[in-house]
């Protein structure tokens, strides 16, 4: 039977159901407005912390200026403006804790409010002669980092307008710049302190914010990659189930025909009849083997859904893996690390299948009679299964694609390129990882790390 018509019918049925083969996405990670929304969501909690730092600095400055330096500050309006900042920051923190959305509009509104509050504080404490007018630059820098060009230029225009208004409105409070050399010195020292504070706040916030945004981008990239692998696995599962359904009927027909042929040959005496009966039995046995393979493909296709976790001792896991290999392959597997008094709560059949795939890949890459190494180790949290071969190794390009589905360097008919993909998917679903190291001419090492206590309520496996 030619497999092409079966695959064509399976793919057609998948398209009818709206199942599309996922392809690697080359789209930007977060285009346009989505990137700005993500930055705002990360930045707003940091902005609330910065505002608390600003409030603390304002209160300290007022206390030092009024009670230490003897500046005649109008405490009522100054403290009222600081109180507005405290009240709005409390409301902002409550909004975030309640799960409120933090979009660019809210971040921009907060920066606009802070610019206006700074203008009020400057007007009440010296006007344009107040050295802390340099703090306008902090809000412009925050807008540049968080909100993009439109908001940045808008806030820059607002800051310029507010600073110019300080020259137009009559100044209140101490005007230190016009009181002689001592006051001028005080003004210069204030400018120095204000510049240092502005530079430190800007550097600290921008560095920490950039690191937080990079972490968020990395998390989103990992989530997108995981979603792509999940889609591929779902497509593979659908394909396997469809293939099992399509091939089940012809295999059943072959089995029935072989059984009828065997019964007919039982009534025929002679050596030829015996030989033909053996052939008929062989046909039925191979058909049953094909059906078992298809049943396994349809049941999981690499997933662990429906399989209860059991407490699997390391020695039992190795024995299950070796039992599934032909005798000539078992003779080439060198096991190290046993006896090992460790067990892990795992979906037994899926893990055995993943380790078996790693060993088969190693055996295919290693020319006989050279052995491959199967090493089992464990600590309090992790069970590690390492498979090492003495094959030709992999180039960097091949290694980068080794875990992609349907990618294989084996000759046609030797594999579908799914073993490493399914093994990594299984490991990540269980909270572990699959790492592969290889260099040309130096063989390859695959290490499967699985958490020992990941699944609760497991039963003891035999």
């Amino acid at each position: 039977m030619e497999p092409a018509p079966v695959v064509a019918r399976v793919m057609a049925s998948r398209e009818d159901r709206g199942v599309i083969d996922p392809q690697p996405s080359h789209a930007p990670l977060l285009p346009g407005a989505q990137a700005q929304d993500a930055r705002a969501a990360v930045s707003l909690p940091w902005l609330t912390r910065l505002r608390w730092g600003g409030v603390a600095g304002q209160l300290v400055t007022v206390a030092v200026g009024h009670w230490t330096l003897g500046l005649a500050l109008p405490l009522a309006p100054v403290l009222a403006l600081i109180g507005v900042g405290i009240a709005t920051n409390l409301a902002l923190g409550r909004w975030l804790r309640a799960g409120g959305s933090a979009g660019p509009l809210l971040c921009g509104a907060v920066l606009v409010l802070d610019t206006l509050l700074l203008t009020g504080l400057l007007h009440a404490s010296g006007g344009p002669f107040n050295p802390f007018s340099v703090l306008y630059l902090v809000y412009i820098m925050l807008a540049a980092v968080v909100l993009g060009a439109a908001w940045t230029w808008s806030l820059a225009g607002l800051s310029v307008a507010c600073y110019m208004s300080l020259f137009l409105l009559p100044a209140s409070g101490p005007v230190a710049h016009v009181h002689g050399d001592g006051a001028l010195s005080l003004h210069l020292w204030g400018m120095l302190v204000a510049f240092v504070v502005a530079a430190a706040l800007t550097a600290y916030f921008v560095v920490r914010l950039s690191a937080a945004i990079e972490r968020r981008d990395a998390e989103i990239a990992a989530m997108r990659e995981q979603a792509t692998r999940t889609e591929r696995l779902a497509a593979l599962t659908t394909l396997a189930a469809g293939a099992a359904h399509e091939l089940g009927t012809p295999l059943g027909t072959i089995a029935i025909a072989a059984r009828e042929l065997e019964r007919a040959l039982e009534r025929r005496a002679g050596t030829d009849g015996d030989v033909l009966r053996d052939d008929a039995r062989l046909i039925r046995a191979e058909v049953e083997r094909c059906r078992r393979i298809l049943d396994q493909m349809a049941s999981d296709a690499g997933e662990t859904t429906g399989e209860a976790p059991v407490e699997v001792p390391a020695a039992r896991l190795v024995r299950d893996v070796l039992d599934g290999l032909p005798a000539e392959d078992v003779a080439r597997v060198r096991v190290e690390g046993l006896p090992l008094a460790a067990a892990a709560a795992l979906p037994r059949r899926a893990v055995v299948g993943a380790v078996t795939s790693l060993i088969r890949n190693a055996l295919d890459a290693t020319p006989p009679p050279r052995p491959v190494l199967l090493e089992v180790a464990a600590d309090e949290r992790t069970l590690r299964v390492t498979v090492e071969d003495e094959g030709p190794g992999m180039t960097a390009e091949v290694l980068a694609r080794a875990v992609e589905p349907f990618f294989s360097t084996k000759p046609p008919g030797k594999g579908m390129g799914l073993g490493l993909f399914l093994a990594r998917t299984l490991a990540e679903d269980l909270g572990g990882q699959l790492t592969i190291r290889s260099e040309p001419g130096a063989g390859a090492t695959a290490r499967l790390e699985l958490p020992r206590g990941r699944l609760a309520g497991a039963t003891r496996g035999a």
Side-chain angles (χ1 to χ4, degrees):
M1 176 182 297
E2 293 294 329
V6 174
V7 176
R9 290 196 298 271
V10 172
M11 297 301 291
S13 64
R14 292 173 64 233
E15 291 177 358
D16 292 341
R17 292 191 297 269
V19 180
I20 306 298
D21 285 324
Q23 300 294 332
S25 175
H26 300 285
L29 182 61
L30 283 175
Q34 294 182 359
Q36 201 171 88
D37 290 343
R39 285 178 174 268
V42 176
S43 305
L44 195 57
W46 283 97
L47 185 56
T48 59
R49 299 170 195 169
L50 179 66
R51 297 185 83 216
W52 284 125
V55 167
Q58 291 164 2
L59 292 175
V60 170
T61 301
V62 169
V64 171
H66 188 76
W67 285 287
T68 302
L69 300 179
L71 301 177
L73 292 173
L75 292 181
V78 168
L79 294 179
L81 291 170
I82 296 176
V84 172
I86 294 174
T88 55
N89 216 34
L90 288 173
L92 188 60
R94 184 175 182 181
W95 168 265
L96 291 176
R97 288 192 297 272
S101 60
L105 183 60
L106 182 57
C107 283
V110 172
L111 292 179
V112 168
L113 175 63
D114 287 346
T115 301
L116 297 176
L117 290 177
L118 175 62
T119 303
L121 289 172
L122 293 175
H123 178 261
S125 55
F129 303 104
N130 191 316
F132 286 93
S133 57
V134 72
L135 293 178
Y136 280 121
L137 298 177
V138 175
Y139 301 122
I140 298 174
M141 181 67 71
L142 295 180
V145 173
V146 176
L147 299 176
W151 273 102
T152 301
W153 286 112
S154 299
L155 200 68
L158 176 64
S159 299
V160 171
C162 290
Y163 189 51
M164 291 180 63
S165 69
L166 297 178
F167 289 88
L168 301 177
L169 297 174
S172 60
V175 184
H177 187 71
V178 296
H179 289 304
D181 293 339
L184 178 60
S185 176
L186 178 61
H187 175 80
L188 294 178
W189 279 108
M191 288 290 293
L192 175 62
V193 172
F195 179 80
V196 171
V197 170
L201 286 176
T202 302
Y204 174 80
F205 186 82
V206 171
V207 170
R208 296 296 298 269
L209 179 59
S210 298
I213 291 174
E214 288 177 1
R215 287 194 300 270
R216 172 63 65 88
D217 289 345
E219 292 173 359
I220 294 175
M223 291 172 61
R224 289 188 62 183
E225 184 180 357
Q226 179 66 30
T228 300
R229 287 198 298 270
T230 302
E231 290 175 359
R232 289 176 175 173
L233 186 59
L236 176 62
T237 304
T238 305
L239 178 61
H245 176 73
E246 293 284 343
L247 294 175
T249 300
L251 287 176
T253 302
I254 295 173
I256 294 173
R259 180 58 181 167
E260 292 298 326
L261 178 61
E262 182 181 352
R263 289 176 178 174
L265 292 174
E266 287 177 352
R267 297 190 293 269
R268 178 178 174 180
T271 305
D272 293 341
D274 294 339
V275 174
L276 293 175
R277 277 199 307 274
D278 292 340
D279 291 340
R281 293 192 185 99
L282 178 61
I283 291 173
R284 287 205 305 126
E286 291 301 311
V287 167
E288 289 301 320
R289 179 185 175 190
C290 291
R291 295 183 70 171
R292 287 195 299 271
I293 295 173
L294 290 174
D295 288 341
Q296 182 177 358
M297 289 175 58
S299 64
D300 52 27
E303 294 195 79
T304 62
T305 303
E307 183 180 359
V310 295
E311 191 79 10
V312 184
R316 177 61 185 176
L317 178 65
V318 173
R319 187 163 69 249
D320 288 345
V321 171
L322 297 179
D323 289 345
L325 296 174
E328 59 271 19
D329 289 342
V330 174
R332 296 176 55 199
V333 178
R334 187 175 81 249
V335 180
E336 295 184 0
L338 295 181
L340 180 65
L346 300 167
R348 177 170 165 179
R349 185 182 64 183
V351 174
V352 168
V355 177
T356 302
S357 295
L358 298 180
I359 293 179
R360 285 175 177 166
N361 286 342
L363 290 171
D364 291 339
T366 304
R370 293 182 182 177
V372 301
L373 172 65
L374 172 61
E375 182 181 6
V376 185
D379 55 27
E380 295 181 356
R381 297 183 178 181
T382 306
L383 175 67
R384 290 183 293 274
V385 180
T386 305
V387 178
E388 184 176 345
D389 65 60
E390 300 180 10
M394 292 181 279
T395 63
E397 294 77 9
V398 173
L399 183 61
R401 299 189 59 194
V403 294
E404 293 182 7
F406 303 108
F407 175 80
S408 177
T409 58
K410 298 179 182 179
K414 291 288 291 182
M416 296 180 63
L418 292 174
L420 293 179
F421 169 71
L422 295 177
R424 185 176 76 161
T425 302
L426 171 68
E428 292 180 350
D429 287 345
L430 298 178
Q433 64 178 352
L434 172 67
T435 56
I436 303 174
R437 300 191 306 273
S438 181
E439 295 180 1
T445 300
R447 173 169 294 176
L448 186 65
E449 298 184 6
L450 302 173
R452 295 179 57 184
R454 172 68 176 176
L455 302 177
T459 58
R460 171 73 59 177

